[in-house]
Amino acid sequence: MAVRLTGYGFSLHGTRYNARIWDTAFSGTATEFDVVKGGIVISYTTDKRNDRHAAIFGSEASVRMLVPVGDTTLETFLEDLRAAEEGRFWLEITKTLGDTVVWRGVVVADECYETDQGARFEANISAVDGLALLKERPYLNGGTAIYTGFNKLTRHLTRCLEQLPHIAWWSGSDPILETSVDWWGDSMTSGGANDPLHLSNADHSTFYDYFTKGTVDNDAQSCYDVIWHIVQSFGCRIYQYRGVFVVEQIPYRSSSTYEYRRYDKSGNFLTNSVRSGTNDIDNSADGAKISYITYD
């Protein structure tokens, strides 16, 4: 696996964003391509539009590249993309000249398209974060039998995230899950590194359908449903930000400061720290009004 194509663009404030297309069947040197102005876009959607309390916020990214007619390298890539099975190509968005990860996802060939133009044509490469793909992944242990016994809710979440088609991107020490939750039980110590999701346990049978008659695959809930039930129970939402899947309670963010805790893909606690829950709109890169708002 290696980077096959790379391009970059700039935001309104001049920040550089890099788009890297990885190919799991490629081992050569990356080729640079031109990006259309404003051609790197990340968007978030839910099953219920405009609902900030929706449990799962899926995201997708698109990169619009310029392809000179006769550029065999780019045209060969597009030919490979048309015939590739899902999961072969991955898209990574990073910030500045370094490797600050902004977003990671799987290229979906069905959502990609090309325009029929002259000497240079435009190709749109689309990718998804993979959360919706978990609807097709049953919550099984190695694909043969349901998990048994109790486990922490954070481990249930990371076990589901381990089913992402591009999970190999996260090494054993990389954070993949971040939580900001402040509902504690009476017996729990609150605050700091004490995460309610890490202190709460659930039997794996919680996510098993005993009323379905069929195969083990049919009896087990999907990884998507397991995530939904956990975050919904705590009044949270989940989305990908900076290459990490964030689980947070919306009201918790309105505090002047709020805690976050991070875990690797095996569910091990890594670190915790504090973030500011407020942001000044001062027309800088940290807070700027880019459109007018109508209140009702």
Side-chain angles (χ1 to χ4, degrees):
M1 181 180 76
V3 177
R4 181 163 173 176
L5 298 175
T6 179
Y8 64 90
F10 294 90
S11 70
L12 293 174
H13 290 279
T15 302
R16 173 172 168 152
Y17 288 89
N18 312 290
R20 294 172 180 155
I21 299 174
W22 293 70
D23 184 349
T24 57
F26 180 71
S27 60
T29 302
T31 299
E32 188 170 309
F33 63 89
D34 292 329
V35 177
V36 176
K37 183 178 181 180
I40 300 177
V41 178
I42 300 173
S43 57
Y44 293 82
T45 58
T46 68
D47 292 336
K48 298 180 180 179
R49 292 188 177 275
N50 301 321
D51 182 5
R52 71 189 183 111
H53 293 286
I56 297 181
F57 265 73
S59 60
E60 61 181 43
S62 63
V63 178
R64 293 158 55 199
M65 65 169 63
L66 285 174
V67 182
V69 173
D71 187 321
T72 56
T73 300
L74 295 182
E75 290 180 350
T76 299
F77 160 73
L78 295 175
E79 292 172 0
D80 290 344
L81 178 59
R82 296 185 196 105
E85 62 181 23
E86 186 175 283
R88 172 178 170 178
F89 294 101
W90 303 350
L91 175 63
E92 181 179 49
I93 309 297
T94 61
K95 188 177 181 180
T96 69
L97 292 174
D99 288 323
T100 303
V101 177
V102 176
W103 190 89
R104 287 171 167 170
V106 182
V107 175
V108 182
D110 291 348
E111 300 297 326
C112 301
Y113 61 85
E114 305 167 26
T115 57
D116 184 7
Q117 293 177 279
R120 291 164 66 90
F121 64 91
E122 184 180 313
N124 186 82
I125 309 301
S126 295
V128 296
D129 62 13
L131 286 177
L133 300 179
L134 295 179
K135 293 179 180 179
E136 306 300 324
R137 301 292 180 95
Y139 191 47
L140 299 175
N141 183 6
T144 56
I146 197 70
Y147 294 104
T148 58
F150 288 86
N151 224 317
K152 299 177 183 294
L153 294 182
T154 47
R155 183 57 180 134
H156 285 294
L157 290 172
T158 57
R159 271 185 168 160
C160 291
L161 294 176
E162 282 182 304
Q163 299 302 313
L164 291 169
H166 55 307
I167 187 62
W169 236 332
W170 288 269
S171 70
S173 59
D174 288 338
I176 191 174
L177 176 67
E178 177 180 307
T179 66
S180 291
V181 183
D182 69 343
W183 287 359
W184 290 275
D186 291 339
S187 62
M188 298 178 182
T189 302
S190 62
N194 300 301
D195 181 358
L197 294 177
H198 199 59
L199 298 174
S200 301
N201 290 269
D203 196 304
H204 287 88
S205 61
T206 305
F207 309 110
Y208 192 80
D209 183 1
Y210 289 99
F211 300 100
T212 299
K213 294 182 179 180
T215 65
V216 175
D217 285 19
N218 291 331
D219 294 340
Q221 292 187 12
S222 71
C223 290
Y224 183 94
D225 288 335
V226 172
I227 292 175
W228 186 90
H229 282 298
I230 293 174
V231 299
Q232 181 77 4
S233 298
F234 279 79
C236 298
R237 65 181 178 186
I238 183 172
Y239 60 94
Q240 187 194 159
Y241 180 65
R242 293 179 179 173
V244 177
F245 288 91
V246 178
V247 175
E248 66 174 12
Q249 290 174 321
I250 310 301
Y252 194 19
R253 249 222 207 175
S254 63
S255 305
S256 57
T257 58
Y258 65 96
E259 292 276 350
Y260 72 89
R261 301 101 184 169
R262 288 189 157 189
Y263 304 87
D264 63 23
K265 61 184 180 183
S266 296
N268 299 312
F269 175 82
L270 295 176
T271 185
N272 70 289
S273 190
V274 177
R275 286 206 177 95
S276 172
T278 58
N279 194 34
D280 292 331
I281 305 299
D282 56 5
N283 290 326
S284 70
D286 294 325
K289 183 187 290 186
I290 58 175
S291 66
Y292 293 102
I293 301 172
T294 301
Y295 296 94
D296 58 17

